[in-house]
Amino acid sequence: MLDFRVETFLTVCRTMNFTRAAELLHITQPAVTQHIHTLEKQYGARFFRYQGKQIFLTEAGQLFLQTATTFYQDDQHLRDAIRQLGTRRSIRFGATLTIGEYVMPPVLTGLLKEEPTLRLRMIVENTKELLRLLDNGEIEFAIVEGFFPRQEYESLSYCIQPYIPVCAPSYTFSRPILRLEDLLEERLLIREPGSGTREVLSRALEDHNLTLSDFPLITELGSLNVIKKMVCAGAGIAFFYLPVVQEELEKGQLREISLENCALSHAFNFIWRKNSTFDTYYQDIFRLFQTEETFRTKTTE
């Protein structure tokens, strides 16, 4: 069972404020301070340092945070596993928008056909929010397109997807399009800051010594479907993972923009907390999801 003082430490780390942590834990501030001092004495290191009225993690505190977060997530998983003994199996996970809306539906349908009593809960959020939910034990694992700190999470490559620029079939370009930089004069429709697809595009542009600010005409939208509809209507260009626009490409509602110097792709990663006691469980779930993904891919070829 997780030491209650570790939970106090994690709450302080989330708030970086002893008073706020005490309020959330419904205990006194001196009790919070005592819990932290007990842990520091037990491990022989200071976990926090003060700079004025602000507190910051020490190097030892950062190391303890990584390990304690995994302890906490494992504790939540263990509690769930014990509650499920003799009952229906449950899987709680998160996925980023592209994966959740365009990759997971047939995979989850296949899982439910194989195991009709399976309880599934998928939360669709951006990578940053999914990492928070994972650290808090609210989900067991996540499948993400965005970037994450690999020193804190184990990962397996779920699949690699082409990342392509598209436009309407009748779209007229300002100039002949041969290279990535030839697109700079077009209106670019993109997701909001913080989204995985936007971050992937930003890094791809950096590889060509470009940035998003080099596009003078940018429209930010929080919905992939809205972006698709606007691109289909000729409002501009956009970059999508292939599964997102596969149907529109096949129906002739969109066309891929061919570029000589730009063949982009990106991995979708299956992640969980590093050094988890339940590594084998997550690897088994990964193989289960991969089996359905492989079967789905073969039946659609």
Side-chain angles (χ1 to χ4, degrees):
M1 181 179 293
L2 189 74
D3 190 318
F4 63 89
R5 285 174 283 260
V6 174
E7 186 171 357
T8 299
F9 170 82
L10 291 172
T11 305
V12 172
C13 289
R14 284 195 291 271
T15 62
M16 296 309 287
N17 184 291
F18 278 53
T19 301
R20 179 59 180 152
E23 292 173 353
L24 293 174
L25 293 168
H26 304 292
I27 58 178
T28 65
Q29 182 176 332
V32 170
T33 302
Q34 183 59 45
H35 291 177
I36 299 302
H37 286 170
T38 299
L39 288 173
E40 290 176 332
K41 183 177 180 180
Q42 182 178 349
Y43 288 92
R46 294 294 300 273
F47 290 158
F48 296 97
R49 62 180 176 84
Y50 287 86
Q51 186 173 323
K53 294 184 178 181
Q54 287 187 298
I55 61 171
F56 299 88
L57 282 167
T58 64
E59 186 176 358
Q62 292 171 348
L63 178 60
F64 190 77
L65 173 61
Q66 291 183 21
T67 304
T69 301
T70 299
F71 284 165
Y72 183 80
Q73 209 273 350
D74 279 355
D75 183 69
Q76 298 302 305
H77 177 84
L78 178 59
R79 291 172 185 270
D80 288 344
I82 291 174
R83 281 195 295 266
Q84 291 174 37
L85 290 175
T87 65
R88 294 185 293 164
R89 187 160 68 128
S90 174
I91 296 177
R92 296 175 294 107
F93 75 104
T96 45
L97 183 60
T98 298
I99 298 169
E101 291 196 359
Y102 295 96
V103 177
M104 284 294 104
V107 174
L108 299 184
T109 299
L111 288 173
L112 291 173
K113 285 181 179 178
E114 293 292 325
E115 192 174 339
T117 62
L118 178 65
R119 290 177 177 171
L120 275 173
R121 183 188 181 202
M122 179 180 73
I123 295 175
V124 178
E125 280 288 356
N126 62 40
T127 300
K128 180 179 179 180
E129 176 62 12
L130 292 179
L131 296 182
R132 186 190 70 80
L133 294 173
L134 187 56
D135 293 348
N136 290 345
E138 296 179 51
I139 56 176
E140 299 173 292
F141 61 90
I143 306 177
V144 302
E145 64 202 77
F147 298 90
F148 56 91
R150 292 184 178 271
Q151 71 273 18
E152 296 182 30
Y153 303 92
E154 296 287 358
S155 68
L156 294 169
S157 179
Y158 185 73
C159 63
I160 297 176
Q161 294 290 348
Y163 188 60
I164 62 174
V166 297
C167 63
S170 59
Y171 186 83
T172 302
F173 289 96
S174 304
R175 59 187 294 182
I177 304 299
L178 297 175
R179 303 170 66 82
L180 180 60
E181 49 266 37
D182 295 331
L183 296 175
L184 296 180
E185 296 179 16
E186 310 304 321
R187 177 173 297 279
L188 177 66
L189 281 65
I190 58 173
R191 290 280 308 284
E192 75 286 355
S195 71
T197 52
R198 182 184 177 120
E199 189 173 6
V200 169
L201 178 57
S202 294
R203 297 203 180 193
L205 290 172
E206 289 175 5
D207 291 339
H208 291 79
N209 198 31
L210 299 170
T211 68
L212 286 173
S213 61
D214 290 320
F215 287 87
L217 300 175
I218 283 184
T219 298
E220 296 181 353
L221 300 160
S223 166
L224 288 174
N225 284 326
V226 171
I227 294 176
K228 273 202 302 183
K229 289 179 180 179
M230 291 181 66
V231 174
C232 286
I237 66 168
F239 285 76
F240 289 104
Y241 290 108
L242 182 59
V244 179
V245 292
Q246 185 75 59
E247 182 177 347
E248 288 78 8
L249 290 171
E250 292 174 353
K251 291 181 177 179
Q253 297 170 341
L254 289 174
R255 65 182 171 94
E256 181 177 355
I257 303 170
S258 298
L259 301 174
E260 292 180 351
N261 67 333
C262 187
L264 303 177
S265 63
H266 187 67
F268 295 167
N269 288 295
F270 183 107
I271 67 172
W272 67 95
R273 287 295 309 181
K274 188 177 283 291
N275 300 321
S276 170
T277 303
F278 300 99
D279 274 349
T280 301
Y281 166 80
Y282 297 121
Q283 292 167 11
D284 289 342
I285 294 294
F286 170 78
R287 285 189 288 269
L288 179 65
F289 274 57
Q290 275 286 73
T291 298
E292 291 299 332
E293 172 68 22
T294 302
F295 176 77
R296 181 185 71 85
T297 301
K298 287 182 177 179
T299 56
T300 55
E301 288 178 349

